[in-house]
Amino acid sequence: MGGEEIKAQSLLTFDELLESVYGKYIGFAGGGAKVFGFTSVATDSRNVKPGSLFVPLIGEKQDGHKYIPQAIEAGASVIFVTNSVYQNNAKLYMDYAAENLDRTFIAVENNLTALQNAARAYVQKFPNLIKIGITGSSGKTTTKEILTSILKEKYNVVATEGNFNSETGLPLSVFNIRPEHQVGVFEMGMNRKNEIGEIARVLAPNYAIITNIGNAHIGILGSRENIAEEKKKIFKYINENGAAFVSDEDDFANFLLDGVKGKRVRYGKNVPQEASGVQFISNDGIEGTRFAVDGKETCLNIPGLYNYTNALGCIALAKTLGLGAREVCAGIEKVRSVDGRGNVIAINTKKNSNGESKKVMLMYDCYNANPDSMEKAINLCGSLEIKGRLIFVLGDMKELGSSSAEEHSRIGALATLSKPNLIVFVGPEMENGAKAAKLSGFSNIKYFPTADVDKVSECVLDYVNDDDFILLKASHSMNFDMIAQKIDAGEVVSA
């Protein structure tokens, strides 16, 4: 893509960008301002391509400004520079501008804030876009996938890719909106106070779902009440023509809906069929949940009644937007588990120390873990009818702060109630889980103080027999995805 083409297809004009980020042009008269344009946005120089706006962020360990030369080499056409960095070495950045007259350098007060403000200005260029936000302590990504699948039956939809839902991920995601899109479905996560407030301001959703209020990030926010207060900010921009959706099963439902200007909708298994139009038929274990929408039968092919609850929120929103039972059911039936989030597959394991391979069922939920999602996964596995034995491999849950020891102990004791044949606890925090399981009278326990992929995998492989069911569940930093790879020989029997 040449300079003139980038300029013609620019996501924002020079004036729009400068005004939205309160920026100052760096360089001599004319220069990069004359050829201004960007067609993508990146905060990592490795993701820069010709025509990118490069936003070098400053973190605890890294200062992205040192990668500006690499961004220029990769084709960045617009580059932000934090004011304080620019003031400390103005000559360097003036030299960059003088040596790269086909690039635009803009000084801003704070690069992260500028990224968010630029994204907000970009979203405002699409006043007719139906903007949907999704947050909650767990189930965000699955809910996003279910809703997107349903809405695609009627609309041209743009949605969060992967889990780009953070203070940087959400702004990057909205830059994927294009004029042909009718609906945007964007996930919003948080790791600190007011993060939801900041990214909700970027999108300003007119429809939003809060899946639940749990204990995820309680170590950062301090209490479930504070978590609810933060999550509620996603509803701030909903007007009289929009709608807010919360789970009727959540004890914060009344608090979350209080003050919402638009329609207030409760969804869940306890909402009467007369109100929801949904009739529960059966829980089919790892095959999913069967139900009917306005009399039309369908199946959500993801295990767990908690995922059925997530689907009920999506159905309620879809019906609010005018989708009928045929469209809803068609979208539901196309949904599959997101990789690393509750996938259940039948596999042949790698060979154990005796040279034997076994045929087992493997459920790996390795992307994230908090007490709520851990409890749901354990209860689901405990409810299944399996031919062989049940094996839990449970790793540390992060960001629980002062509640960590208590919550890991609770999960350890809870795991024994599902009557597994073996529990493998992994990580320093899960030592509390192992102790609690032992105090509960459970004896077949293995404990590894660190996530030693080889040792944990070997332990499991030497124990399993044909037809056993293995649950792998931990926060992403525990590298359980690598343990799953070590167990799986790559010979998927069925999905």
Side-chain angles (χ1 to χ4, degrees):
M1 185 180 293
E4 288 300 322
E5 190 176 358
I6 291 171
K7 182 178 180 180
Q9 297 181 19
S10 185
L11 301 181
L12 290 169
T13 68
F14 179 73
D15 289 338
E16 286 172 340
L17 182 63
L18 219 60
E19 181 179 350
S20 67
V21 302
Y22 308 101
K24 175 186 175 183
Y25 173 64
I26 298 174
F28 304 98
K34 291 182 178 179
V35 295
F36 173 87
F38 69 97
T39 54
S40 64
V41 184
T43 58
D44 186 328
S45 61
R46 293 168 295 185
N47 296 330
V48 169
K49 54 190 177 183
S52 287
L53 160 62
F54 177 55
V55 183
L57 300 174
I58 300 176
E60 293 181 7
K61 299 179 180 178
Q62 285 273 19
D63 182 350
H65 291 82
K66 74 178 184 179
Y67 298 105
I68 286 177
Q70 289 92 325
I72 293 172
E73 179 69 23
S77 55
V78 182
I79 298 166
F80 284 170
V81 182
T82 300
N83 267 329
S84 59
V85 175
Y86 173 60
Q87 295 298 335
N88 287 337
N89 200 347
K91 183 180 183 304
L92 173 65
Y93 294 99
M94 289 296 287
D95 287 345
Y96 279 153
E99 294 164 4
N100 298 277
L101 294 177
D102 56 344
R103 319 296 169 100
T104 307
F105 293 81
I106 298 174
V108 298
E109 187 62 30
N110 179 286
N111 273 357
L112 174 59
T113 302
L115 171 65
Q116 294 175 348
N117 286 339
R120 183 170 185 262
Y122 182 68
V123 172
Q124 290 174 344
K125 294 170 73 79
F126 303 92
N128 296 323
L129 182 75
I130 298 171
K131 298 173 294 181
I132 301 171
I134 298 172
T135 194
S137 294
S138 59
K140 295 183 292 296
T141 300
T142 300
T143 300
K144 180 247 314 182
E145 294 294 326
I146 295 171
L147 183 60
T148 300
S149 184
I150 294 172
L151 295 181
K152 280 184 176 180
E153 294 298 315
K154 181 175 181 178
Y155 296 108
N156 190 326
V157 182
V158 59
T160 304
E161 294 181 2
N163 69 313
F164 269 57
N165 63 11
S166 65
E167 59 188 3
T168 56
L170 185 278
L172 292 174
S173 291
V174 302
F175 275 114
N176 290 323
I177 299 170
R178 294 294 181 266
E180 63 268 21
H181 293 133
Q182 299 167 292
V183 177
V185 182
F186 295 98
E187 183 182 335
M188 298 183 186
M190 68 176 188
N191 285 299
R192 59 173 176 81
K193 188 175 181 180
N194 201 41
E195 189 167 359
I196 294 295
E198 289 179 10
I199 58 181
R201 178 179 175 272
V202 171
L203 181 64
N206 40 11
Y207 297 86
I209 297 175
I210 298 179
T211 60
N212 52 33
I213 302 298
N215 292 320
H217 310 304
I218 199 167
I220 298 171
L221 277 295
S223 69
R224 289 183 69 231
E225 288 75 13
N226 290 344
I227 293 170
E229 186 72 50
E230 181 65 24
K231 296 291 188 182
K232 184 177 180 177
K233 293 176 182 177
I234 198 173
F235 291 158
K236 179 179 179 180
Y237 299 91
I238 294 173
N239 59 28
E240 292 78 4
N241 297 319
F245 300 79
V246 301
S247 170
D248 187 60
E249 300 165 31
D250 199 282
D251 53 343
F252 281 92
N254 288 337
F255 171 79
L256 296 172
L257 291 174
D258 184 44
V260 171
K261 295 178 181 177
K263 185 179 179 182
R264 307 173 195 183
V265 181
R266 293 168 177 265
Y267 65 87
K269 297 187 291 289
N270 297 325
V271 174
Q273 181 183 343
E274 294 74 23
S276 68
V278 181
Q279 179 186 11
F280 174 81
I281 297 175
S282 62
N283 175 8
D284 295 345
I286 61 172
E287 301 298 324
T289 307
R290 190 162 295 280
F291 55 96
V293 180
D294 295 332
K296 183 173 178 57
E297 190 171 322
T298 189
C299 182
L300 176 68
N301 297 301
I302 305 177
L305 286 176
Y306 51 92
N307 283 318
Y308 170 58
T309 297
N310 292 334
L312 290 173
C314 299
I315 293 167
L317 200 159
K319 294 182 77 170
T320 299
L321 293 180
L323 276 76
R326 182 192 61 78
E327 294 162 317
V328 169
C329 292
I332 287 284
E333 288 164 7
K334 293 174 183 175
V335 175
R336 295 294 180 268
S337 293
V338 182
D339 190 36
R341 296 175 185 262
N343 307 77
V344 179
I345 54 174
I347 64 167
N348 289 319
T349 69
K350 284 191 169 69
K351 292 180 180 179
N352 60 22
S353 58
N354 294 321
E356 301 168 329
S357 177
K358 305 294 182 180
K359 293 182 178 180
V360 303
M361 298 297 294
L362 175 66
M363 177 176 176
Y364 61 106
D365 200 334
C366 312
Y367 186 80
N368 210 347
N370 57 59
D372 306 296
S373 63
M374 187 75 81
E375 181 175 347
K376 289 172 180 175
I378 289 170
N379 289 341
L380 167 62
C381 293
S383 70
L384 299 176
E385 294 183 8
I386 58 177
K387 294 180 180 179
R389 301 170 302 172
L390 181 60
I391 302 161
F392 290 154
V393 185
L394 309 177
D396 282 359
M397 303 174 287
K398 302 298 185 179
E399 299 177 349
L400 297 181
S402 60
S403 301
S404 185
E406 177 185 352
E407 289 295 344
H408 283 86
S409 296
R410 186 178 69 83
I411 290 300
L414 176 72
T416 67
L417 300 180
S418 292
K419 295 182 171 48
N421 298 88
L422 169 68
I423 309 178
V424 181
F425 293 98
V426 183
E429 296 298 326
M430 268 301 175
E431 183 177 7
N432 296 292
K435 289 178 179 178
K438 188 173 182 179
L439 287 172
S440 299
F442 191 84
S443 59
N444 200 8
I445 295 169
K446 300 290 184 182
Y447 172 64
F448 295 88
T450 61
D452 188 312
V453 173
D454 290 329
K455 289 183 179 179
V456 175
S457 303
E458 183 180 357
C459 170
V460 174
L461 289 171
D462 281 346
Y463 181 80
V464 294
N465 282 325
D466 287 333
D467 299 321
D468 285 354
F469 190 102
I470 307 167
L471 166 66
L472 295 174
K473 177 73 175 171
S475 286
H476 187 61
S477 62
M478 296 300 292
N479 295 322
F480 268 36
D481 53 339
M482 295 176 65
I483 294 175
Q485 292 173 23
K486 283 280 187 177
I487 293 173
D488 182 6
E491 302 174 22
V492 177
V493 179
S494 63

